[in-house]
Amino acid sequence: DIQMTQSPSSVSASVGDRVTITCRASQHISSWLAWYQQKPGKAPKLLIFAASNLHSGVPSRFSGSGSGTEFTLTIASLQPEDFATYYCQQANSFPYSFGQGTKLEIK
Amino acid sequence: EVELLESGGGLVQRGGSLRLSCAASGFTFRNYAMSWVRQAPGKGLEWVSSISGPGDSTYYTDSVKGRFSISRDNSKNTLYVQMNRLRAEDSAVYYCATDPMTADAFDIWGQGTVVTVSS
């Protein structure tokens, strides 16, 4: 089974900051990686699919990169609505798996 | 509008059973794999199970194998999961999800249904 490890587990940042979250896969997953944003009490929302493709309607300040085993999600200039928890997920093979999450908090 | 609507959650005793449903609308249901993802209170997301569009292939996380059964009725545009021998650790919000827009990521999610297993 493929394990997904995110870092950091939490990060404090200010509006306007640039933030990068890393996700590592325990095996090669090509570009079969997605990033989600989740706010308390809500279902997750897809941000990035296939490692670097911005989902429809997602602001361009979000970007994804990487392939193989190492991936990053970058938020170029944090906005107040970006404070949330972010998850990576591999769709290379079953069983699918999520990272443990990164909580982005206001500094 | 593409929509998924879960139902069937509730309070059940340890060892009991529950069937969750997910009604889909706004896309050609039979063409897309469907999945269940859960989230225990205060915890992260956990993929539970997936089923292919025709329903002939199913996949499960190890912790639910032999206890949960995913199925679908393409004539009713509805996804199901039958959950048996429930454990306290199965308590979670259960989301159904699918990928009609991206084909490889969960781009549509339901609002979730809460399952609580009492011990």
Side-chain angles (χ1 to χ4, degrees):
Chain A
D1 296 0
I2 299 172
Q3 312 303 320
M4 306 300 293
T5 304
Q6 287 180 234
S7 61
S9 295
S10 65
V11 57
S12 294
S14 301
V15 172
D17 284 353
R18 179 184 181 92
V19 170
T20 297
I21 299 168
T22 298
C23 179
R24 289 187 175 88
S26 62
Q27 300 174 31
H28 190 280
I29 60 169
S30 186
S31 295
W32 294 101
L33 185 101
W35 289 98
Y36 302 88
Q37 177 194 69
Q38 187 181 33
K39 295 182 179 179
K42 300 294 187 182
K45 290 185 177 180
L46 177 66
L47 299 174
I48 302 285
F49 65 98
S52 60
N53 292 272
L54 195 67
H55 184 46
S56 176
V58 175
S60 59
R61 62 181 179 272
F62 291 92
S63 64
S65 65
S67 68
T69 62
E70 194 141 336
F71 302 86
T72 59
L73 172 71
T74 299
I75 310 172
S77 178
L78 277 171
Q79 298 302 300
E81 61 268 28
D82 299 337
F83 293 95
T85 301
Y86 293 84
Y87 295 93
C88 62
Q89 177 241 331
Q90 67 84 14
N92 179 76
S93 61
F94 289 107
Y96 288 169
S97 46
F98 288 88
Q100 80 278 16
T102 295
K103 187 172 184 179
L104 178 52
E105 299 174 301
I106 301 173
K107 186 183 287 184
Chain B
E1 182 186 0
V2 178
E3 191 174 27
L4 298 174
L5 187 63
E6 302 95 336
S7 60
L11 177 63
V12 61
Q13 285 192 330
R14 184 179 57 188
S17 298
L18 211 54
R19 188 178 84 154
L20 306 183
S21 301
C22 171
S25 59
F27 64 102
T28 307
F29 181 73
R30 64 181 180 274
N31 287 354
Y32 298 98
M34 296 292 298
S35 298
W36 289 98
V37 176
R38 68 185 178 184
Q39 187 169 36
K43 303 297 184 182
L45 300 170
E46 179 186 23
W47 172 82
V48 174
S49 182
S50 296
I51 185 168
S52 61
D56 52 356
S57 296
T58 58
Y59 309 88
Y60 300 92
T61 191
D62 281 350
S63 64
V64 309
K65 280 180 185 174
R67 300 188 300 120
F68 288 16
S69 178
I70 192 171
S71 62
R72 63 192 296 159
D73 185 336
N74 286 343
S75 69
K76 295 182 178 179
N77 289 352
T78 303
L79 171 73
Y80 305 99
V81 62
Q82 176 67 44
M83 305 186 297
N84 299 326
R85 304 202 309 275
L86 282 161
R87 305 168 180 168
E89 55 265 36
D90 296 319
S91 295
V93 177
Y94 284 74
Y95 297 101
C96 59
T98 187
D99 58 359
M101 289 182 271
T102 61
D104 67 354
F106 299 132
D107 48 67
I108 302 295
W109 295 70
Q111 86 290 349
T113 188
V114 178
V115 172
T116 303
V117 183
S118 66
S119 52

